[in-house]
């Protein structure tokens, strides 16, 4: 590595350097590639990268793009005197158990012919080429049954052949494993009974004793609203996350890192997305980038194919089936994740180039139960409108304030919808994302804690653009809150078990942060209404409101003002001076912003009954920032 921490693969290759390694596999591989007449300049550059990254010359040669996979494997096929098939007929492949292992290591595939004969499509490797050539020479009858193909051809065929089985497993995996973790059933019987009983009790109380019932409801509403603000106040008092220097790591130890992006109707974003992914400070030979699309999204698929991306990019198409959600697509693609670590991005994301490097170093320095790291999301179009300015303030408070506070104390942490970095084995053991939860990030963060893991944070950010219109903002926010409602309902199916899994303090923090966020959004306009009614009543002649009503009026007013103050103070305390300067004039719109939040919450509450799994897509445009 150089002094900036970036990878440096410029290693001088001289005869003196190669002499001690003449018997090294790389030396033999180099001789074979020279025999195949690949240019020395390409081979030596790939050798330097292979020494730096502890890979093979072949992997680095293909990752560098100087030779396309089609050109490379055609040369290998010619050397072996075998036919070259760049595409494989899926109809000739039978979906067998463990077929998906070929997604991870596409060595070859068995093709069943109509005449009963079997052909083996192989992906030869340069360091095995000499021995394979000798074997074919000793057994010439094998040549009639062997063809050379591409790794991408094997993977795409396996994706297609196993699609029905994989899709069924994706949809039912979590529910079959642990139904208590799945949002497939919105209300369990006991929950429906308790909610219905509470509604009947409230209606009976209003009918029998309207005044006292309203007073009790008002008191409980005001108290819970006040308690829900405590998380923001605690995060505000917590120190901002320091930027600490992580220990320098040997770049040769870098593992394969999987990057997954779920795309739907994002053809216009492919150029910006792939440009930003190419900037990641990680060897291309150790990247596994999966662009996950719905199979019927022809425009996005066509844009990806037209981009002619290098071999570490892979297009994964998800067969159309309900629920049509992002978590279903991600869990489907998880079957082919080749990385020891895995992260997800959205189409509009601009991740910091060193984000993967920081996540890997943090994982390596942390305990095995550290299963996930959340990178902060930074809004880059905060100057566009008052909506984007307050969205930027909210994100600063959440990703630079609340989440670091929760991570520091190992409290249950709701993940953001993007820039989550996982240990892949922990993600697999947790059964991936819930395809029925439209806030899969919050659900997965809680489930990891319930299974004995914990989540942390890093500081290298991801740039995003906030929604710019009220309509797009409320559509996105109502989906988030609907997912939070699903997550809370799933978690509270067995409150005692949840308390035991999270601990008493963790359980309380989850209620205040999760349920509190939802309830405070639902109650916000009711506080205004209660405050207005109380003030109007107090102004009536010859009316003595009494101490209780005066206190409630004061608490309602304090709740409103403290919630606004905590929202702005927490966000601004974590923003840069430039960001704060852009926000000052837009702070006056906070009451409107919170009323939009309340509208979205009530919309989500109604949708939970009518369309619980509806995924409202947020449209994106290439960023100008």
């Amino acid at each position: 590595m150089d002094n900036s921490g970036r990878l440096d693969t410029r290693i001088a290759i001289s005869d003196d350097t190669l002499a001690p390694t003449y018997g090294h596999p790389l030396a033999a591989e180099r001789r074979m590639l020279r025999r195949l007449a690949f240019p020395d300049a390409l081979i030596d550059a790939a050798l330097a990268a292979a020494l730096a990254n502890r890979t093979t010359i072949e992997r680095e040669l293909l990752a560098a793009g100087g030779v396309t996979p089609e050109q490379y494997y055609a040369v290998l096929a010619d050397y072996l005197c075998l036919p070259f098939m760049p595409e494989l007929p899926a109809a000739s492949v039978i979906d067998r158990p463990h077929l998906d292992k070929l997604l991870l290591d596409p060595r070859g595939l068995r093709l069943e012919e109509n005449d009963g004969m079997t052909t083996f499509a192989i992906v030869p490797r340069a360091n095995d080429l000499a021995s394979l050539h000798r074997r074919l020479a000793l057994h010439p009858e094998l040549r009639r049954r062997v063809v050379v193909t591409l790794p991408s051809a094997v993977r795409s065929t396996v994706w297609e052949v196993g699609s029905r089985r994989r899709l069924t497993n994706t949809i039912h995996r979590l529910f079959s494993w642990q139904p208590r973790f799945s949002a497939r059933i919105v209300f369990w019987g006991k929950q429906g009974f308790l909610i219905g009983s509470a509604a009947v009790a409230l209606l009976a109380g209003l009918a029998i004793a309207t005044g006292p019932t309203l007073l009790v409801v008002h008191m409980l509403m005001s108290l819970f609203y006040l308690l829900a603000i405590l998380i923001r106040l605690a995060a505000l008092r917590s120190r901002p996350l320091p930027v600490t220097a992580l220990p320098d790591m040997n770049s040769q130890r870098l593992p394969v890192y999987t990057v997954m992006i779920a795309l739907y109707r994002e053809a216009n974003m492919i150029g910006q997305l792939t440009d930003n992914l190419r900037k990641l400070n990680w060897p291309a030979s150790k990247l596994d980038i999966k662009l996950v699309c719905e199979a019927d999204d022809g425009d996005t698929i066509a844009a990806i194919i037209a981009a002619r991306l290098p071999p570490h990019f892979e297009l994964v198409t998800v067969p159309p089936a309900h629920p049509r959600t992002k978590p279903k697509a991600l869990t489907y693609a998880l079957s082919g994740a080749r990385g020891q670590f895995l992260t997800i991005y959205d189409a509009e994301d601009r991740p910091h180039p060193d984000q993967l490097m920081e996540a890997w170093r943090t994982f390596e320095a942390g305990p095995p139960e550290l299963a996930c790291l959340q990178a902060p999301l930074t809004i880059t179009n905060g100057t566009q409108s008052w909506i984007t300015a307050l969205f930027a303030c909210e994100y600063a408070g959440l990703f630079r304030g609340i989440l670091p506070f929760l991570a520091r104390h190992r409290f249950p942490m709701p993940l953001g919808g993007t820039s989550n970095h996982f240990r892949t084995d922990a993600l697999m053991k947790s059964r991936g994302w819930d395809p029925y939860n439209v806030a899969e990030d919050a659900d997965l963060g809680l489930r990891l804690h319930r299974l004995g893991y914990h989540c942390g944070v890093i500081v290298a950010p991801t740039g995003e653009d906030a929604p710019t219109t009220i309509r797009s903002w409320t559509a996105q926010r109502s989906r988030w809150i609907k997912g939070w409602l699903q997550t809370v309902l799933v978690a509270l199916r067995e409150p005692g078990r949840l308390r035991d899994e999270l601990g008493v303090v963790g359980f309380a923090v989850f209620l205040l942060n999760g349920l509190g966020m939802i309830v405070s959004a639902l109650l916000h306009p009711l506080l205004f209404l209660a405050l207005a009614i109380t003030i109007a009543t107090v102004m009536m002649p010859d009316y003595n409101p009494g101490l209780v009503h005066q206190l409630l009026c004061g608490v309602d007013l304090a709740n409103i003002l403290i919630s606004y103050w905590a929202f702005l103070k927490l966000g601004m305390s974590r923003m840069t001076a430039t960001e704060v300067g852009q926000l000052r004039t837009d702070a006056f719109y906070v009451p409107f912003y919170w009323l939009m939040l309340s509208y979205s919450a009530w919309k989500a509450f109604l949708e939970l009954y009518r369309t619980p799994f509806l995924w409202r897509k947020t449209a994106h445009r290439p960023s100008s920032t």
Side-chain angles (χ1 to χ4, degrees):
M1 289 189 183
D2 59 19
N3 293 332
S4 68
R6 301 184 68 84
L7 293 175
D8 188 352
T9 59
R10 296 171 298 175
I11 298 178
I13 305 298
S14 66
D15 291 340
D16 292 338
T17 303
L18 290 175
T21 62
Y22 188 79
H24 192 280
L26 290 184
E29 187 181 9
R30 185 191 195 202
R31 291 195 301 273
M32 173 56 70
L33 292 173
R34 278 183 160 180
R35 183 182 303 173
L36 296 173
F38 289 106
D40 282 351
L42 293 180
I43 295 173
D44 288 345
L47 173 59
L51 290 170
N53 300 326
R54 197 174 290 178
T55 57
T56 64
I57 303 175
E58 179 178 76
R59 281 178 63 178
E60 299 296 343
L61 187 67
L62 292 169
V67 178
T68 67
E70 289 81 3
Q71 294 169 336
Y72 180 80
Y73 287 101
V75 171
L76 267 59
D78 184 63
Y79 174 79
L80 295 170
C81 300
L82 293 175
F84 175 56
M85 292 182 62
E87 296 181 0
L88 299 177
S92 299
V93 180
I94 298 174
D95 185 21
R96 293 183 170 90
H98 310 300
L99 183 68
D100 284 358
K101 288 183 178 180
L102 293 176
L103 296 173
L104 310 181
D105 188 13
R107 293 289 188 97
L109 196 57
R110 181 175 177 174
L111 307 178
E112 308 287 348
E113 305 297 337
N114 292 332
D115 57 5
M117 296 293 293
T118 298
T119 300
F120 295 92
I122 64 169
V123 180
R125 296 182 178 180
N127 51 15
D128 299 326
L129 208 59
S131 61
L132 181 58
H133 187 276
R134 288 192 297 269
R135 184 180 177 189
L136 289 171
L138 291 174
H139 303 280
E141 70 278 3
L142 290 177
R143 296 187 188 277
R144 296 191 298 271
R145 301 174 56 195
V146 179
V147 299
V148 172
T149 189
L150 302 169
S152 58
V154 173
R155 284 196 291 264
S156 62
T157 303
V158 171
W159 281 117
E160 182 179 352
V161 170
S163 60
R164 181 175 300 179
R165 163 187 51 80
R166 196 177 303 109
L167 181 64
T168 301
N169 186 41
T170 295
I171 294 173
H172 302 293
R173 177 188 301 172
L174 182 62
F175 186 82
S176 299
W177 175 59
Q178 290 276 12
R180 66 191 181 100
F181 287 142
S182 173
R184 180 176 176 178
I185 300 174
V186 179
F187 296 98
W188 274 18
K190 185 188 295 185
Q191 289 178 310
F193 174 77
L194 292 174
I195 293 172
S197 299
V200 170
L202 176 61
L203 293 174
L206 290 173
I208 298 171
T210 306
T213 301
L214 286 175
L215 181 61
V216 171
V217 170
H218 189 174
M219 293 172 66
L220 293 174
M221 177 182 72
S222 299
L223 178 61
F224 194 84
Y225 191 99
L226 182 61
L227 290 174
I229 303 173
L230 291 179
I231 296 295
R232 287 188 181 274
L233 296 178
L236 183 59
R237 290 180 57 85
S238 179
R239 297 188 309 275
L241 189 69
V243 180
T244 56
L246 289 165
D248 196 13
M249 312 290 283
N250 184 351
S251 64
Q252 291 186 337
R253 293 180 51 212
L254 289 177
V256 175
Y257 216 117
T258 294
V259 179
M260 295 205 306
I261 306 95
L263 303 166
Y264 185 58
R265 298 177 181 173
E266 307 275 16
N268 62 323
M269 300 298 298
I270 299 304
Q272 174 183 289
L273 171 65
T274 54
D275 285 346
N276 283 299
L277 293 177
R278 290 173 192 263
K279 296 175 184 176
L280 291 173
N281 180 26
W282 202 264
S285 60
K286 291 190 173 183
L287 274 178
D288 169 33
I289 300 178
K290 288 180 163 42
L291 305 178
V292 188
C293 299
E294 296 290 330
D296 55 3
D297 185 8
D299 290 343
T300 305
I301 293 173
I304 293 172
I305 295 173
R308 300 183 64 83
L309 298 170
H312 60 280
F313 284 81
E314 181 182 7
L315 171 63
V316 178
T317 57
V318 183
H322 290 287
R324 300 289 292 265
T325 61
K326 172 183 172 182
K328 186 201 74 177
L330 291 174
T331 303
Y332 182 90
L334 188 59
S335 302
R338 304 196 298 276
Q340 181 181 346
F341 300 100
L342 179 150
T343 187
I344 60 170
Y345 293 121
D346 285 340
E348 76 276 19
D349 286 352
R350 282 100 63 199
H352 190 287
D354 291 332
Q355 192 178 108
L356 269 59
M357 187 66 65
E358 184 189 356
W360 171 64
R361 291 180 178 178
T362 306
F363 276 126
E364 289 293 287
E369 60 269 20
L370 177 61
C372 178
L373 294 168
Q374 174 69 61
L377 305 183
T378 302
I379 299 303
T380 57
N381 65 335
T383 60
Q384 192 164 349
S385 69
W386 63 270
I387 295 176
T388 61
L390 292 178
F391 198 101
C393 179
E394 183 180 15
Y395 261 37
L398 174 62
F399 288 100
R400 299 180 234 173
I402 294 176
L403 294 189
F405 164 74
L406 297 175
R408 181 179 288 117
H409 297 283
R410 295 196 179 184
F411 290 143
M413 199 173 94
L415 303 175
T418 175
S419 303
N420 322 131
H421 297 257
F422 299 95
R423 294 187 192 271
T424 307
D425 60 344
L427 185 60
M428 294 282 194
K429 291 176 182 177
S430 304
R431 302 311 192 268
W433 297 268
D434 183 356
Y436 290 93
N437 194 310
V438 296
E440 77 291 342
D441 41 7
D443 167 74
L444 182 55
L446 177 63
R447 193 183 336 135
L448 287 170
H449 276 267
R450 299 185 69 177
L451 293 173
Y453 298 103
H454 69 90
C455 303
V457 293
I458 54 178
V459 297
T462 295
E464 278 197 349
D465 283 353
T468 56
T469 65
I470 292 177
R471 182 176 181 178
S472 61
W473 188 96
T474 53
Q476 183 188 71
R477 192 55 59 99
S478 64
R479 173 173 59 79
W480 291 355
I481 297 176
K482 181 169 65 175
W484 264 100
L485 282 165
Q486 290 176 308
T487 301
V488 169
L489 286 170
V490 166
L492 294 181
R493 287 168 175 171
E494 300 172 306
R497 188 169 185 174
L498 180 67
R499 180 203 59 218
D500 294 339
E501 292 169 337
L502 301 182
V504 175
V505 178
F507 178 71
V509 168
F510 166 73
L511 289 180
L512 292 178
N513 190 42
L515 189 59
M517 182 272 292
I518 298 169
V519 174
S520 61
L522 292 170
L523 294 181
H524 193 70
L526 300 181
L527 284 182
F528 277 106
L529 179 62
L531 185 62
I533 292 174
T534 303
I535 293 175
T537 305
V538 168
M539 295 180 64
M540 294 175 60
D542 302 325
Y543 176 75
N544 181 11
L547 180 61
V548 173
H549 283 85
Q550 293 181 47
L551 286 174
L552 280 177
C553 183
V555 169
D556 290 341
L557 184 60
N559 275 339
I560 294 171
L561 296 178
I562 292 173
S563 62
Y564 292 167
W565 176 84
F567 173 86
L568 288 171
K569 182 67 176 178
L570 179 59
M572 294 172 71
S573 68
R574 300 303 191 267
M575 298 173 85
T576 65
T578 302
E579 290 174 311
V580 172
Q582 297 167 351
L583 175 66
R584 292 191 185 281
T585 56
D586 296 311
F588 295 103
Y589 289 96
V590 169
F592 298 101
Y593 193 82
W594 273 63
L595 289 174
M596 285 165 52
L597 178 63
S598 184
Y599 168 79
S600 302
W602 282 102
K603 186 170 182 287
F605 189 76
L606 296 175
E607 281 190 1
L608 186 66
Y609 173 74
R610 297 170 56 190
T611 53
F613 313 127
L614 174 64
W615 183 280
R616 295 194 181 277
K617 173 75 173 60
T618 303
H620 299 123
R621 293 180 299 174
S623 176
S624 60
T625 56

